[in-house]
Amino acid sequence: MDETRAGLIRVLLVDDQEMVRDGLGALLSSAPDIELVGEAGDGIRAIQLAAELKPDVVVMDIRMPGMDGLAATARIVGAPGPATTAPRVLILTTFDLDEYVYEALARGASGFLLKDAPARDLVNAVRVIAAGEALLAPSVTRRLIDDVARRRRSGALRPEAVSALTVRELDVIRQVARGLSNSEIAEELFLSEQTIKTHVGRILAKLELRDRTQAVVFAYENGLVGIVGEER
């Protein structure tokens, strides 16, 4: 594969089923702005290829023999080097069978895509993740929030980090946790979209978070927004 093509989103595809890789690989390769740079059938090979090929996005299955997608995600995202250079991981999940959404987010995944989603959603998801945004299907978001409610424990709380946020930054992260885009938050708070983008960047830097997905988890863990059933 030609690794010199500039301006393309470089993708590594990881799934233990060859037929699935063939189908998803063909779909990704058909997009004019995406380059499929490699494929792996297990977590160990995914880690190796991520280090060699330096993709922008890793599309990762969770359930694989040997090293699963959770362990591979943690290794890929946490590899030595600047955090900004690490690939972003998009998890592919059957969801009803996978009970690891919260753990995958904690290990650095930037988003989830359900395996039964329309094929075109994969291309869009890769673009969203590559742009530094978070991607959570509504059903995944609801399950995630429920998981956080059950798993919230003192060890996950970071009161000192919360206190470092300004009142406006607290307003913004609460809206991020609701799943609003920058433009929607700008409209909600009567600010410019650029101002919201600046606030989000500062929030992520202060909290040492990779992206908006981790900001959502942080907000729910630390009680910045109400858990399902608590807001009534």
Side-chain angles (χ1 to χ4, degrees):
M1 299 179 186
D2 182 2
E3 297 182 19
T4 65
R5 299 166 66 191
L8 298 182
I9 302 170
R10 296 165 53 81
V11 175
L12 171 63
L13 177 60
V14 185
D15 196 291
D16 64 323
Q17 298 182 44
E18 185 174 355
M19 289 183 65
V20 172
R21 293 201 308 273
D22 288 345
L24 296 180
L27 177 64
L28 290 168
S29 297
S30 68
D33 57 341
I34 293 176
E35 180 181 12
L36 183 63
V37 297
E39 299 180 15
D42 60 70
I44 293 176
R45 183 58 175 158
I47 293 169
Q48 295 170 342
L49 289 180
E52 294 172 10
L53 302 175
K54 298 183 173 17
D56 300 306
V57 176
V58 178
V59 178
M60 179 81 73
D61 188 22
I62 287 185
R63 295 171 178 263
M64 296 181 290
M67 181 181 289
D68 65 18
L70 293 177
T73 293
R75 292 277 296 276
I76 289 171
V77 174
T84 55
T85 65
R88 296 185 179 276
V89 177
L90 172 65
I91 296 289
L92 289 179
T93 174
T94 52
F95 195 65
D96 287 339
L97 299 178
D98 294 330
E99 300 174 353
Y100 310 115
V101 173
Y102 181 86
E103 292 301 326
L105 287 173
R107 298 188 191 202
S110 292
F112 291 83
L113 185 69
L114 303 184
K115 281 191 170 180
D116 61 358
R120 64 181 178 277
D121 286 2
L122 175 60
V123 172
N124 179 63
V126 167
R127 290 169 177 156
V128 169
I129 294 297
E133 298 292 336
L135 187 141
L136 294 173
S139 58
V140 175
T141 302
R142 178 63 58 174
R143 180 72 170 271
L144 166 64
I145 293 170
D146 289 343
D147 284 347
V148 172
R150 289 193 298 269
R151 296 165 183 261
R152 184 188 285 174
R153 53 192 182 278
S154 60
L157 301 179
R158 294 173 56 192
E160 75 291 344
V162 173
S163 65
L165 299 178
T166 66
V167 172
R168 180 59 76 189
E169 288 166 349
L170 287 170
D171 289 340
V172 171
I173 193 173
R174 289 186 179 107
Q175 303 308 317
V176 169
R178 290 176 55 201
L180 301 186
S181 66
N182 285 350
S183 61
E184 291 169 332
I185 296 173
E187 183 176 352
E188 186 84 8
L189 299 181
F190 303 102
L191 297 170
S192 71
E193 187 172 347
Q194 182 57 48
T195 298
I196 298 302
K197 183 177 181 180
T198 299
H199 280 310
V200 171
R202 289 175 179 168
I203 290 167
L204 297 181
K206 284 185 177 182
L207 301 180
E208 299 181 343
L209 304 175
R210 275 182 56 84
D211 52 36
R212 296 168 80 100
T213 308
Q214 291 192 342
V216 172
V217 174
F218 177 93
Y220 279 101
E221 282 183 337
N222 289 276
L224 297 181
V225 284
I227 296 296
V228 175
E230 291 183 358
E231 293 182 329
R232 298 176 181 176

